[in-house]
Amino acid sequence: MWPSLRERPLGGPPDAAVGDRAHLQGWCGNRIFRRMEPFKIKTVETIPFVTRAERATALAESGYNVFNIPSRLITIDLLTDSGTSAMSDHQWAALMLGDESYAGSSNYYRFEETVQRITGYQHVIPTHQGRVAENLLFTTVVKEGDHVPNNIHFDTTQANIEHNGGVAVNCVIDEAYDPTIDIPFKGDMDIAKLDRVLGEVGRERIPLVMLTITNNSGGGQPVSLENARQVSQWCRKHGIPFIYDACRFAENAYFNKVRGGADGEIADIVREFFALADGCTMSAKKDGLVNMGGFVALNNDELSTQITNMLILIEGFPTYGGLAGRDLEAMAQGMEEVLDERYLAHRIGQIQQFGERLCDAGVPIVLPVGGHAVYLDAKRFLPHIPQEEFPAQALTCALYLEGGVRGVEIGGLMFAIHGEWPELELVRLAVPRRVYTRSHLDYVADVCANLYRERDSIQGLKLTYEAPVLRHFTARLEPVGAT
Ligand code: P61
């Protein structure tokens, strides 16, 4: 049976130094990393504090779009977990090993060997971030009218597919669209929906199937190993390539260990996942634990050659791909560190606790708590704001005004394109890796709780400017009734 939020196992290896092994495996090992960071802090960065009046001015000047607010005016920045990690001492040391040769940098070979070992894929093509990996893949394989299924496409994959004339189709299980349904693997793909796409457009129109681990747009929810197996079998049966969007592959593997999807070492679970597919795109700004970096990894020789040729055109030579040699070294180190089970136990535990605090205050969030973020459910938080008035964006702005907290809207502003509104109106509070402590997140939970008590005073927004693609980055809005 799936236990209640608080009773849920968080996992984490037993700590031999602390004593009785059986006892530790029972509950103490879990609790250690739930309560305590498995790292010490070597460098600190001062947090900005700004007055409410300054925040109100910043918000109005930003066009009610927190992307336009300078970071010096943000107290706790939960806009994204992407590129915002703190690097370890070993990663900073790795930077000193940078070999900035144009061709054949030794850092590339370490990076290549690391990715090959972790994923099992043969060809490793470095890019400066995830969307370039997507761009390279989709410009090579997607033709006008092609359909690309995914559990839920992230906005950059969707935009890159559409930019090439393709159609991005979301095939996640129905439960993913109900924030109140609490099941362990809410990122799973619905195989019947894959069958439906196949029936409608035919095999020739599906150049690949993607699976996003964890499913960012649906609440950071994990995909089970069993589901990945089913997707793999489906793809093999129909001769369609299977590619992961692997940004949070280690968090996904850890969830499988603690929620009952898989056993063994994290590295082995990761390998088992990757072995089911033909390749992946990766933004290493997440589970690569670096501030910049990404890659495409593939087994197919011909596709890799085509992508490499494209890489030379838009990013750089195949042994650096838009990155400095030192960045490749730090990325290789980060890819190793993220597999540490103690690190993952703390990471997932920290976010789980953050979610529990919000639940205790009655704040509506997406259940279960995902891997890299807590998602506020704006439809339930602000039922008085209709979807056309961007409730999740209104809540994002209100959080900034209330406590200098920056989240990101994942709702109509991001996804209502071509006149269709998404099912979910969420505010994602994404937690950077190894950056904030529990007390920072307690502060954010208090800000959310205060705001929830005053929710009736929050007003909807209307657009005053929108760009044709990925409009949420640069959109400008104003409160309804402002003019
Ligand atoms: C994020 F507001 N994610 O979650 P790149 N796939 C997946 C991602 O989560 C992802 C990429 C591909 C970000 C950054 C971000 O509108 C936004 O390295 C599952 O960012 O190119 C990125 O990787 C792309 C935030 C991206 C946004 C777009 O915060």
Side-chain angles (χ1 to χ4, degrees):
M1 206 190 92
W2 178 231
S4 73
L5 200 63
R6 263 181 208 293
E7 291 161 350
R8 223 157 266 179
L10 286 168
D15 191 333
V18 185
D20 180 328
R21 199 173 168 80
H23 174 61
L24 288 168
Q25 276 170 337
W27 61 268
C28 191
N30 302 348
R31 298 281 153 107
I32 287 175
F33 304 108
R34 205 174 140 87
R35 297 269 167 248
M36 182 174 105
E37 284 76 15
F39 49 80
K40 294 191 284 183
I41 296 165
K42 212 189 275 285
T43 303
V44 296
E45 187 181 330
T46 303
I47 283 180
F49 288 95
V50 277
T51 64
R52 191 179 178 97
E54 286 168 328
R55 296 197 294 269
T57 307
L59 205 51
E61 284 177 1
S62 74
Y64 293 85
N65 183 348
V66 294
F67 279 100
N68 294 332
I69 300 180
S71 62
R72 69 183 160 77
L73 301 177
I74 308 287
T75 300
I76 303 285
D77 203 347
L78 306 184
L79 181 81
T80 180
D81 64 320
S82 177
T84 50
S85 304
M87 289 208 297
S88 68
D89 47 358
H90 288 280
Q91 284 179 292
W92 283 107
L95 295 181
M96 288 305 291
L97 301 176
D99 164 7
E100 306 308 337
S101 308
Y102 191 95
S105 158
S106 45
N107 310 124
Y108 172 74
Y109 297 113
R110 175 182 174 198
F111 169 67
E112 181 190 40
E113 184 280 321
T114 306
V115 175
Q116 282 172 337
R117 180 164 32 81
I118 290 173
T119 65
Y121 302 134
Q122 213 186 328
H123 303 287
V124 181
I125 302 161
T127 62
H128 84 269
Q129 65 180 81
R131 70 198 70 183
V132 184
E134 293 157 13
N135 179 291
L136 289 166
L137 177 69
F138 296 134
T139 47
T140 311
V141 302
V142 171
K143 294 188 296 299
E144 191 75 31
D146 281 353
H147 284 52
V148 181
N150 199 332
N151 40 3
I152 303 186
H153 286 276
F154 194 61
D155 62 349
T156 56
T157 57
Q158 176 166 344
N160 269 299
I161 290 164
E162 291 174 355
H163 189 66
N164 286 288
V167 180
V169 193
N170 295 331
C171 296
V172 74
I173 53 171
D174 286 342
E175 289 88 335
Y177 293 110
D178 183 342
T180 64
I181 296 181
D182 191 356
I183 52 170
F185 294 105
K186 227 173 161 181
D188 281 356
M189 187 89 92
D190 185 336
I191 305 295
K193 291 185 185 171
L194 286 182
D195 284 333
R196 212 172 304 149
V197 180
L198 183 72
E200 278 164 22
V201 302
R203 188 254 158 276
E204 298 309 314
R205 299 262 73 169
I206 306 177
L208 68 126
V209 170
M210 270 203 131
L211 192 60
T212 305
I213 52 173
T214 56
N215 184 25
N216 190 6
S217 312
Q221 304 292 337
V223 173
S224 65
L225 185 58
E226 181 50 32
N227 186 250
R229 273 195 204 106
Q230 290 166 356
V231 174
S232 175
Q233 279 160 10
W234 189 92
C235 288
R236 301 260 182 279
K237 181 169 148 202
H238 299 290
I240 297 172
F242 173 23
I243 304 287
Y244 288 109
D245 178 342
C247 301
R248 299 174 180 88
F249 70 96
E251 291 173 4
N252 194 73
Y254 183 75
F255 272 124
N256 270 269
K257 181 153 181 170
V258 294
R259 291 188 180 176
D263 292 323
E265 300 289 322
I266 296 296
D268 295 336
I269 300 173
V270 161
R271 211 27 213 260
E272 222 175 322
F273 263 94
F274 282 124
L276 295 168
D278 302 294
C280 68
T281 56
M282 169 85 188
S283 168
K285 296 169 73 172
K286 287 84 170 170
D287 273 355
L289 298 177
V290 282
N291 305 117
M292 196 53 72
F295 58 86
V296 186
L298 295 166
N299 279 331
N300 185 297
D301 299 339
E302 198 188 318
L303 184 57
S304 303
T305 306
Q306 281 175 293
I307 288 182
T308 302
N309 290 337
M310 206 47 201
L311 178 83
I312 296 172
L313 187 69
I314 65 169
E315 280 276 84
F317 191 74
T319 59
Y320 72 84
L323 290 166
R326 56 178 174 271
D327 295 333
L328 291 166
E329 192 72 24
M331 183 159 52
Q333 178 65 26
M335 291 286 291
E336 308 264 17
E337 288 179 12
V338 80
L339 301 174
D340 175 1
E341 203 171 323
R342 289 191 171 87
Y343 155 77
L344 286 166
H346 173 261
R347 163 95 180 135
I348 302 298
Q350 185 188 42
I351 294 166
Q352 179 85 19
Q353 278 184 330
F354 179 29
E356 283 168 11
R357 250 186 104 99
L358 289 166
C359 285
D360 289 347
V363 176
I365 63 168
V366 174
L367 290 175
V369 177
H372 62 293
V374 169
Y375 293 65
L376 305 180
D377 181 358
K379 279 191 178 171
R380 280 187 294 148
F381 202 117
L382 302 174
H384 60 285
I385 302 185
Q387 195 169 18
E388 308 75 61
E389 293 178 8
F390 306 107
Q393 182 67 8
L395 182 52
T396 306
C397 292
L399 272 175
Y400 175 70
L401 184 63
E402 180 70 18
V405 174
R406 176 156 68 173
V408 72
E409 190 256 20
I410 300 197
L413 187 61
M414 187 183 272
F415 284 118
I417 29 185
H418 324 307
E420 268 184 54
W421 289 82
E423 306 227 12
L424 298 172
E425 278 289 326
L426 306 176
V427 177
R428 188 188 66 175
L429 301 173
V431 182
R433 294 167 181 78
R434 306 190 289 209
V435 170
Y436 291 118
T437 63
R438 185 175 175 191
S439 45
H440 293 118
L441 298 182
D442 284 352
Y443 165 78
V444 177
D446 289 347
V447 169
C448 294
N450 285 345
L451 206 53
Y452 190 57
R453 281 190 288 272
E454 314 207 332
R455 57 193 179 276
D456 292 344
S457 64
I458 301 173
Q459 272 186 296
L461 296 167
K462 62 179 185 226
L463 273 165
T464 59
Y465 165 75
E466 63 178 312
V469 278
L470 296 174
R471 68 177 180 178
H472 59 287
F473 284 123
T474 53
R476 295 190 72 82
L477 303 97
E478 63 182 24
V480 236
T483 46

